[in-house]
Amino acid sequence: MPRTSTAPALLVTAVLVLIVAGGCQTYEPKPLELVGTSSAAWLARSPSDESARQFAQRLAVVEGSPERSFDPSDGLTLSEGEPVALVFNRRLRLARLEANVTRATSEFAGLWEDPVAGVDLEKILAGVSNPWIVAASIGITLPISGRLDAEKAVAGAAYVAELQSLAAKEWATRAALRQMWITWSAQVIRMELAEELVERFRAVSELARRQEEAGVLARIDANIFVVELASREADAMAASAHAKTLELHLRDLLGLAPEAPLRLVPSIVFAARSVDDEGLLASMDTGNAELAAVRSAYEVAEQSLRLEIRSQYPDLTIGPGYKNEDDQSRMLLGLSLPLPLWNRNQQGVAEATASREVARMRFETTYEHLASQLAIAVLEWRSGRSVREMLEKRVVPLADQQDADVRRVAELGRVDPLLLLEAIKSQYLAKVRLVDARATESVGAIRLDELIGPPTASSNGTQSVSEPSLEPVPQSIPEGVTR
């Protein structure tokens, strides 16, 4: 076969090989780190890290409070703990990396299909001077259907929905941290009250023992104090253990190790941003993070249906090429256009239509559920406030007055240990009920805030505080958190 008959085809093949080799990425394995290395990074986390400080400043700007301070060196408060949780919470860190998958899809969606190269070699078996026929072609698909633009729209909507979902997870994490903080703080106060009660019971028990020895108090009555003291000591131990368990749960929500050097500052007071019924519902309509995420999911379903409809229309494929036959060079041009006669992507369109209706119903049912939860939260918050006000104004003052009266009688020398015991118990129970009522009211306020959505200085609606990044993340910043 003459050299001129195969040279163009071989040249085309060589060029294509070079293009493919130069444009494709190569695989690089990335083994998992050793457990010890990961544990060291976890143990090294601290609220004082610069990454947490920078995130706290970013959060303050997003929520319109740039003057908010962040100094955990003297103890971590609830307001300081929220940005720490947003930075280090393991579920949020994972969610940000998962959002990067959707972001990558969005950035590279709607690209043209790669051209298809073809080389055909034919040999004529009959005796001819040049039995070889060589043909080479390049198939290029022209997206005349508009499908690529629809793919971009779907990917973009999916990324926005992922960010809205991330924002909802961030807001839910903050609400969970607030409730856990209130629960832990209330338990710390109960523990302190239980320890104070033990000390007072110990003094009364000693008084009862002396009266028994003096023959003033019967043994059966004196044993009441022994049993009460032992019972209260057990309660104090249980309260202390529960407080420590709740603190570990708090550290887990914060994303910090149990052994991390950290002092949490208790607080059981949380004020709702708004308690007006009409204002709450209006704020929920526009600001609820979960509702915004479901609304974005509906937009994905809408764009997916548009894509399936555009996929009914064919794209044109052209195939310019070269052919050599009998030492004669020829230019080729092939055209290919599918005919939408039988398939017409009917299954895809039907499924996307049904999925859009599901997304619509999910939005409607989510709104109904949230509106009902808002009404329940308002009622629970008002009930908690009423109980707290009643305890503050009547029950606790009466218990304090009873304790003061008993002490005054005791100072006069007429000591009745049983009466003193009941007065101490009444005062203790009143204080515990007040702590519980205050915690219940604060949890109700947190729930109201959760339902109306996060405060924001922007009018663009709910958005994630920490938009994911595809760029490599410095080791000083947790995964997925941008500077």
Side-chain angles (χ1 to χ4, degrees), residues 130-305:
N130 188 2
W132 291 97
I133 301 176
V134 182
S137 63
I138 299 278
I140 302 175
T141 300
L142 301 180
I144 61 176
S145 65
R147 173 177 53 84
L148 297 187
D149 289 338
E151 287 181 358
K152 293 179 182 179
V154 172
Y159 181 53
V160 171
E162 190 71 26
L163 288 184
Q164 295 287 13
S165 177
L166 176 57
K169 292 176 182 177
E170 289 176 340
W171 186 236
T173 299
R174 294 175 66 182
L177 179 70
R178 291 172 177 179
Q179 293 190 30
M180 181 61 68
W181 203 289
I182 296 297
T183 302
W184 166 76
S185 300
Q187 184 59 32
V188 169
I189 298 176
R190 292 191 202 97
M191 177 191 68
E192 294 173 349
L193 290 175
E195 293 173 349
E196 178 185 347
L197 181 66
V198 167
E199 293 302 319
R200 296 194 66 183
F201 268 31
R202 186 171 287 117
V204 176
S205 180
E206 178 63 22
L207 175 62
R209 185 188 63 80
R210 291 198 303 267
Q211 287 191 357
E212 179 194 1
E213 293 176 350
V216 178
L217 189 66
R219 176 179 295 274
I220 189 172
D221 292 332
N223 286 338
I224 294 176
F225 296 91
V226 176
V227 173
E228 282 284 355
L229 178 59
S231 177
R232 297 303 176 178
E233 288 175 340
D235 291 343
M237 293 176 59
S240 177
H242 192 198
K244 293 178 181 178
T245 301
L246 290 175
E247 181 176 344
L248 291 178
H249 282 295
L250 262 182
R251 288 172 176 264
D252 182 53
L253 267 177
L254 291 168
L256 302 176
E259 301 84 1
L262 173 67
R263 186 179 70 85
L264 303 178
V265 179
S267 173
I268 61 171
V269 178
F270 188 92
R273 300 201 310 272
S274 174
V275 294
D276 176 64
D277 289 353
E278 295 183 0
L280 285 172
L281 188 59
S283 298
M284 190 201 76
D285 291 347
T286 58
N288 184 273
E290 182 181 356
L291 196 63
V294 178
R295 185 184 289 111
S296 296
Y298 178 79
E299 180 62 22
V300 175
E302 189 78 72
Q303 295 300 328
S304 297
L305 175 57

Side-chain angles (χ1 to χ4, degrees), residues 327-350:
D327 290 333
Q328 295 182 357
S329 298
R330 305 176 184 181
M331 296 299 298
L332 306 176
L333 179 62
L335 299 176
S336 175
L337 185 69
L339 300 179
L341 297 179
W342 298 294
N343 189 318
R344 301 194 311 278
N345 195 32
Q346 295 181 75
Q347 180 181 6
V349 172

Side-chain angles (χ1 to χ4, degrees), residues 399-417:
D400 289 341
Q401 183 62 46
Q402 182 186 28
D403 182 68
D405 292 341
V406 172
R407 286 173 179 268
R408 191 177 304 108
V409 172
E411 291 174 357
L412 298 176
R414 298 190 297 272
V415 180
D416 185 346

